[in-house]
Amino acid sequence: VEATIPEPLREAWRKYSAKPFTQKSEIELEFVRHIETTLARSLFNCDELAAYSGIALAFRDRLIIEWNKTQQRQTFADQKRIYYLSLEFLMGRALDNAMLNVGLKDVAKEALGDLGFRIEDVISQEHDAALGNGGLGRLAACFLDSMATLNYPAWGYGLRYRYGIFKQEIVDGYQVEIPDYWLDFNPWEFPRHDITVNVQFYGTVNKQRDTQGRTTHIWQGGETVQAVAYDVPIPGYGTPTTNNLRLWSSKATSGEFNFQKFNAGDYESAVADEQRAETISAVLYPNDNLERGKELRLKQQYFWCAASLYDIVRRFKKTKRAWNEFPDQVAIQLNDTHPTLAIVELQRILVDIEVLEWDEAWHIVTHTFGYTNHTVLPEALEKWSVPMMQNLLPRHLQIIYDINLFFLQSVEKRFPTDRDILARVSIIEESHPKMVRMAYLAIIGSQKVNGVAELHSDLIKTTIFKDFVDICGPDKFTNVTNGITPRRWLHQANPRLSELIASKLGGYGFLKDLALLEELEDFINDKEFRKSWVEIKLMNKTRLAKHIKEATGYQVNPNALFDVQVKRIHEYKRQQLNIFGVIHRYLAIKAMDPKERAKPVPRVSIFGGKAAPGYWMAKTIIHLINKVASVINNDPDVGDLLKVIFVADYNVSKAEMICPASDISEHISTAGTEASGTSNMKFVLNGGLIIGTCDGANIEITREIGEQNIFLFGNLAEDVEELRHRHYYGDFKLDMHLAKVFDAIKGGMFGPPDDFAALLSSVESHSDYYLVSDDFLSYIETQELVDEAFRNQDEWTDKCITSVARMGFFSSDRVITEYAESIWNVEQLDMGKENE
Ligand code: Z15
């Protein structure tokens, strides 16, 4: 029953209803009130953490007022909504973002100053919300920012993991994983204990006849787990729109079952049941670009899909519309195949519960979903074992079989002569055990399928999904090149550069229309502007140098060339190519006559990134980087000429410090393996250049900024297959420079060679799948070109300014606009009246 205040009493209600603050004095009032009441502290024991808590609570109140109004406005507007389903939302810190997006950071800075705190110190108290692994999770976070900023009625749906991605420590050069228990104090979430969904697992399916003689399926027995909603407000930049990210937390259902156990005196087993239920949302799987087929992961996926679908359907039913209007009200975007069960779940709701005919239901389903593919790596493509699915989700497996049957029948009709096509495109792979191919199910159940950069979208059409292009037609497959939010990745991460740009462009309009950056090219010869530009880069590098000193003890020279590669550690991303290149450089410096050593450009090679805990090769790469660092950094022959740094625990807030501090960053994946990459965009937007392969979005970045402004090297995607084939059939010869690097490692220069034997043999004797040797010469030669270019600081600055000016395309606002127009068919909310 919904409680509503009767009309005569609403006047009093309105009089006292919460108003958003705008003044410094109001912020101070709220800050002190929260410290003294909510937190039960005083001016005598308010440390920086308490100050963070106080100001965060003040801003959380401010956000929730706009959040409430936004929800009312969107309900009233009654338009089609976007639902973005993602198992990962890599949000990072919220306070800085909240203050900037509501336009009150400067005011808050003064308020905190009045009360004895520096805003930077307060901001840095916040724990990152790290509910994601890497690019895919951060993309979801950028999309939420853009959808709110553009006033789209949009919801994110995810899981409220108790443990986010682990914290990384480096001990004796090895990665050690520390659990990330982050929920101790999280002012940014609102528990909704009244919004719950019971989710069923296991059990059996029975057929019954209903009164009209129809066969219906009853899924009975098994166990149920309760999903509880936790809402996170998502403020747009410079707009009242504050959207919702709804995260589900699992707990035991408070029902008969447990009471029986309690009453029977089986207290321990009742508690064990509770804990088992809570396990579902306990931990984020720490794999990036890898699926391991664990049952708990499948449970997470269904738990989240079922709760989200129930919520979406419940909201739709409130509008009292006919079912065939569902796709006019609801667009659901699947972030990778992880939420593919949502397709099956909606079909189940419509057929089993709402008793629609199969075909009518399927028409609704296939006009509701869109599927984004983020990888072509075979080890990342999800497959679930049929026996596992049979056990956990018996009714869903039946529905999948039916979807497959109807699909294969239609294929057979259209391609009667192609004898293998049915086996190739079947959702069920006929292996032992049989497997459900989730990507095929996602394609068949969706209106549109998109890749995340041009090359990648072409590759999926010509390789892994080729048959589906023939079957469904080419129009189903499209490209939406990724982007990043300029609010966090320019304005928040690099406030000085943002301010400099605003001073030239006459305001901060570029933060909402990034294409405006192109006007920067008019100032390329403005001496003052260039001077400030260079000073800002140096300040950002100095800030990073300070962090490096504190974190590692190594002193680096901010005037050296900062060469950065920060991203998840993966063989396909080829951090090994980078570190082999560093060793090559080291050997060259050592071989020089001491008098010659003044010549090379001083360089700091900075690495950062986590390895999945079970990924041994990635851990070996981390170990090698750290061993190389300790040798080079302590070699008096080298001095400032070369330093190697591994920044531990790379995460969103570290990225905000590192991206503005690069001269060059490395995006050097084997061509055809990195779907898009998004840190490439962050580095260029912050005035750094790129060394990279012709892969993912590097290609489009090159097109936008011009090839004179990027350092491309290496083999092309179209040649990879042929090269691998050649390696395999014996014609493999290690590059001669790489051979010298390997000799140094094998000679024990960086510790016991056995530690690195597997890594070297993955190149030397296991067919060099990632083409490290093939690309090595091209890589080191291109690094020499980087040195040459860096010597000429004026030309370097030209390149940087020109590149930033041409990065407008890579705003996630452009990305969201493309999704809205070509996939979702959703309109922005008209904010005309509300903005008055
Ligand atoms: C992930 O972070 C990405 C793809 C995946 O399949 C998984 Cl499981 C995780 C990344 C891509 O590797 C990266 O190239 C892309 O930029 C990013 O998704 C966002 O699309």
Side-chain angles (χ1 to χ4, degrees):
V1 187
E2 273 180 60
T4 312
I5 307 299
E7 188 59 56
L9 303 179
R10 288 187 201 172
E11 205 40 52
W13 189 275
R14 288 196 187 103
K15 183 170 154 200
Y16 296 115
S17 93
K19 313 272 183 310
F21 55 65
T22 54
Q23 307 291 313
K24 187 180 77 165
S25 59
E26 296 172 291
I27 295 179
E28 291 175 358
L29 183 77
E30 289 299 297
F31 173 81
V32 174
R33 185 178 66 80
H34 276 299
I35 302 257
E36 293 186 348
T37 60
T38 319
L39 300 167
R41 292 197 180 218
S42 75
L43 76 167
F44 298 109
N45 65 354
C46 183
D47 54 13
E48 277 168 352
L49 183 60
Y52 159 70
S53 309
I55 195 75
L57 288 165
F59 272 89
R60 145 202 156 116
D61 289 350
R62 158 89 208 205
L63 294 193
I64 208 67
I65 295 169
E66 300 296 356
W67 183 97
N68 260 317
K69 288 196 223 162
T70 301
Q71 298 315 317
Q72 281 169 31
R73 196 156 53 227
Q74 292 180 2
T75 305
F76 186 72
D78 198 23
Q79 290 176 193
K80 185 171 184 177
R81 287 184 173 94
I82 305 155
Y83 296 102
Y84 197 78
L85 268 56
S86 179
L87 259 193
E88 304 190 8
F89 288 94
L90 195 42
M91 304 296 284
R93 290 177 177 151
L95 174 62
D96 200 358
N97 184 249
M99 294 189 300
L100 288 169
N101 278 18
V102 304
L104 287 174
K105 186 172 179 183
D106 292 338
V107 184
K109 181 179 175 160
E110 284 181 30
L112 285 167
D114 285 354
L115 297 163
F117 294 95
R118 281 189 32 196
I119 195 165
E120 297 79 25
D121 300 336
V122 172
I123 287 170
S124 66
Q125 295 298 313
E126 183 173 353
H127 197 114
D128 276 36
L131 306 186
N133 278 284
L136 172 145
R138 183 55 232 178
L139 186 76
C142 284
F143 282 6
L144 293 181
D145 184 80
S146 283
M147 291 190 291
T149 299
L150 296 171
N151 302 311
Y152 282 106
W155 288 60
Y157 276 105
L159 279 183
R160 178 182 179 267
Y161 303 109
R162 191 143 35 96
Y163 297 92
I165 188 67
F166 62 86
K167 283 187 177 302
Q168 179 194 54
E169 284 182 9
I170 302 297
V171 179
D172 297 335
Y174 290 98
Q175 167 174 299
V176 173
E177 299 100 28
I178 316 288
D180 170 45
Y181 184 84
W182 70 293
L183 290 171
D184 259 351
F185 175 75
N186 177 13
W188 307 106
E189 65 174 14
F190 291 80
R192 301 274 185 203
H193 294 292
D194 53 328
I195 300 178
T196 61
V197 182
N198 286 342
V199 180
Q200 187 178 357
F201 294 102
Y202 307 106
T204 53
V205 180
N206 296 309
K207 283 188 188 174
Q208 268 184 9
R209 286 200 178 265
D210 68 10
T211 44
Q212 282 119 55
R214 272 182 37 146
T215 306
T216 57
H217 296 83
I218 315 287
W219 178 20
Q220 286 168 316
E223 58 184 54
T224 62
V225 175
Q226 193 176 52
V228 183
Y230 285 72
D231 288 345
V232 181
I234 307 293
Y237 175 79
T239 166
T241 299
T242 300
N243 280 336
N244 196 22
L245 168 59
R246 178 157 285 177
L247 301 177
W248 299 105
S249 185
S250 63
K251 60 179 268 187
T253 43
S254 46
E256 284 292 305
F257 186 65
N258 290 22
F259 279 118
Q260 275 167 21
K261 279 199 176 173
F262 280 122
N263 291 340
D266 203 355
Y267 180 69
E268 267 177 59
S269 118
V271 171
D273 284 349
E274 304 252 328
Q275 283 177 342
R276 221 157 55 84
E278 286 172 21
T279 316
I280 291 178
S281 62
V283 42
L284 165 76
Y285 275 86
N287 304 316
D288 190 86
N289 271 293
L290 177 72
E291 272 304 328
R292 309 226 299 173
K294 289 273 195 291
E295 189 190 51
L296 183 60
R297 168 82 167 187
L298 185 59
K299 271 186 141 175
Q300 287 187 335
Q301 294 186 350
Y302 179 63
F303 171 78
W304 152 64
C305 289
S308 305
L309 250 293
Y310 188 91
D311 210 42
I312 293 166
V313 167
R314 170 165 63 189
R315 196 165 301 118
F316 172 77
K317 286 175 107 176
K318 276 195 191 166
T319 70
K320 305 261 181 347
R321 284 184 161 82
W323 279 112
N324 64 11
E325 291 180 60
F326 192 81
D328 304 329
Q329 289 291 299
V330 174
I332 303 178
Q333 192 64 27
L334 307 175
N335 197 23
D336 216 302
T337 53
H338 315 147
T340 303
L341 283 171
I343 290 172
V344 189
E345 177 69 359
L346 182 58
Q347 182 71 3
R348 186 184 75 86
I349 291 171
L350 295 177
V351 171
D352 289 2
I353 299 169
E354 304 294 337
V355 289
L356 268 63
E357 294 296 333
W358 178 278
D359 288 345
E360 192 191 356
W362 188 240
H363 183 269
I364 292 167
V365 169
T366 50
H367 287 77
T368 298
F369 290 96
Y371 156 51
T372 305
N373 172 279
H374 295 266
T375 187
V376 294
L377 299 186
E379 66 271 28
L381 297 178
E382 281 190 297
K383 289 174 186 178
W384 290 106
S385 107
V386 165
M388 186 190 289
M389 201 166 294
Q390 166 68 52
N391 182 243
L392 188 70
L393 301 167
R395 177 60 184 141
H396 293 77
L397 186 65
Q398 289 180 343
I399 293 172
I400 291 171
Y401 271 112
D402 285 345
I403 293 170
N404 199 35
L405 178 71
F406 296 131
F407 172 68
L408 292 180
Q409 282 173 346
S410 77
V411 173
E412 192 176 28
K413 230 185 261 165
R414 290 200 29 224
F415 301 88
T417 56
D418 189 340
R419 294 198 54 78
D420 314 318
I421 195 166
L422 297 187
R424 288 202 307 270
V425 302
S426 171
I427 296 172
I428 307 298
E429 179 184 274
E430 296 293 327
S431 46
H432 299 284
K434 291 184 188 176
M435 300 293 243
V436 183
R437 297 157 160 164
M438 300 307 270
Y440 292 4
L441 179 54
I443 295 170
I444 294 164
S446 294
Q447 179 72 207
K448 284 271 154 93
V449 177
N450 76 284
V452 290
E454 272 177 26
L455 173 68
H456 170 67
S457 298
D458 287 344
L459 282 175
I460 61 177
K461 283 200 275 184
T462 51
T463 61
I464 53 176
F465 302 149
K466 185 177 185 303
D467 289 319
F468 289 89
V469 177
D470 297 339
I471 294 164
C472 313
D475 291 350
K476 183 160 183 169
F477 293 83
T478 162
N479 172 248
V480 185
T481 299
N482 282 168
I484 57 172
T485 169
R487 273 76 65 180
R488 184 175 292 258
W489 296 112
L490 178 55
H491 194 44
Q492 181 178 319
N494 202 343
R496 290 197 177 89
L497 187 62
S498 183
E499 192 183 343
L500 176 65
I501 294 171
S503 76
K504 290 294 163 192
L505 302 192
Y508 286 98
F510 63 96
L511 292 175
K512 280 201 167 209
D513 181 2
L514 203 61
L516 293 175
L517 283 180
E518 68 184 27
E519 291 170 29
L520 275 183
E521 285 196 58
D522 299 346
F523 301 94
I524 196 150
N525 294 318
D526 177 331
K527 285 232 172 66
E528 281 297 302
F529 173 66
R530 293 174 67 95
K531 190 164 158 272
S532 310
W533 186 280
V534 172
E535 276 170 11
I536 288 166
K537 179 59 78 181
L538 185 63
M539 274 160 65
N540 290 330
K541 287 166 72 179
T542 305
R543 175 171 67 155
L544 177 56
K546 186 164 168 269
H547 171 79
I548 288 172
K549 176 79 185 129
E550 286 162 9
T552 68
Y554 293 125
Q555 187 96 45
V556 301
N557 179 359
N559 291 304
L561 189 162
F562 276 23
D563 172 344
V564 183
Q565 188 179 17
V566 285
K567 47 182 89 235
R568 287 299 290 252
I569 312 290
H570 207 298
E571 287 166 281
Y572 88 81
K573 295 176 189 281
R574 296 201 296 188
Q575 284 91 355
Q576 71 276 40
L577 175 59
N578 186 344
I579 194 65
F580 293 153
V582 169
I583 296 172
H584 169 80
R585 179 173 286 259
Y586 175 60
L587 298 177
I589 293 171
K590 292 292 277 186
M592 278 176 190
D593 187 288
K595 277 173 272 161
E596 293 277 291
R597 290 199 184 126
K599 284 191 184 160
V601 174
R603 219 186 244 249
V604 184
S605 275
I606 299 165
F607 293 82
K610 294 172 187 178
Y615 189 174
W616 290 106
M617 199 62 90
K619 289 185 150 178
T620 302
I621 294 170
I622 292 178
H623 187 210
L624 179 61
I625 294 167
N626 281 289
K627 283 320 247 299
V628 170
S630 72
V631 170
I632 295 181
N633 298 351
N634 293 304
D635 186 336
D637 289 349
V638 177
D640 267 1
L641 279 188
L642 184 58
K643 285 273 176 284
V644 181
I645 300 297
F646 191 92
V647 178
D649 199 37
Y650 177 61
N651 60 14
V652 172
S653 53
K654 296 244 171 76
E656 289 168 23
M657 169 173 58
I658 293 170
C659 291
S662 87
D663 294 304
I664 196 111
S665 64
E666 307 216 11
H667 309 276
I668 58 176
S669 49
T670 310
T673 61
E674 188 71 275
S676 160
T678 43
S679 75
N680 42 9
M681 303 164 191
K682 294 165 196 167
F683 281 101
V684 179
L685 186 61
N686 281 284
L689 302 183
I690 279 184
I691 180 167
T693 45
C694 295
D695 201 15
N698 291 355
I699 296 169
E700 288 149 87
I701 292 174
T702 306
R703 187 191 303 156
E704 293 293 310
I705 70 177
E707 48 185 355
Q708 68 286 0
N709 297 318
I710 189 165
F711 298 92
L712 293 177
F713 74 96
N715 285 286
L716 302 179
E718 53 198 287
D719 300 322
V720 168
E721 200 182 78
E722 157 84 16
L723 283 165
R724 282 179 180 158
H725 187 83
R726 262 195 251 162
H727 295 171
Y728 197 78
Y729 290 99
D731 186 19
F732 180 77
K733 188 148 189 332
L734 195 62
D735 172 88
M736 136 204 171
H737 303 277
L738 189 57
K740 297 213 170 103
V741 170
F742 280 20
D743 287 344
I745 297 172
K746 288 174 187 169
M749 190 178 276
F750 307 104
D754 278 359
D755 291 3
F756 311 112
L759 178 60
L760 301 201
S761 78
S762 75
V763 179
E764 283 181 305
S765 34
H766 293 289
S767 62
D768 191 18
Y769 188 75
Y770 295 105
L771 274 48
V772 173
S773 177
D774 299 270
D775 282 348
F776 195 69
L777 182 60
S778 169
Y779 176 65
I780 59 179
E781 285 176 351
T782 307
Q783 285 287 22
E784 281 170 27
L785 295 180
V786 172
D787 286 331
E788 279 317 305
F790 195 69
R791 264 183 235 284
N792 187 337
Q793 279 290 303
D794 274 341
E795 274 181 31
W796 187 275
T797 303
D798 285 342
K799 290 181 195 295
C800 295
I801 295 173
T802 311
S803 301
V804 172
R806 299 177 183 178
M807 283 298 286
F809 180 73
F810 299 99
S811 168
S812 47
D813 297 347
R814 186 269 309 157
V815 183
I816 287 302
T817 308
E818 282 185 20
Y819 277 96
E821 287 172 1
S822 71
I823 296 179
W824 301 330
N825 194 23
V826 181
E827 312 251 288
Q828 289 166 273
L829 211 77
D830 181 1
M831 300 293 290
K833 275 200 212 101
E834 286 79 2
N835 271 346
E836 273 166 22

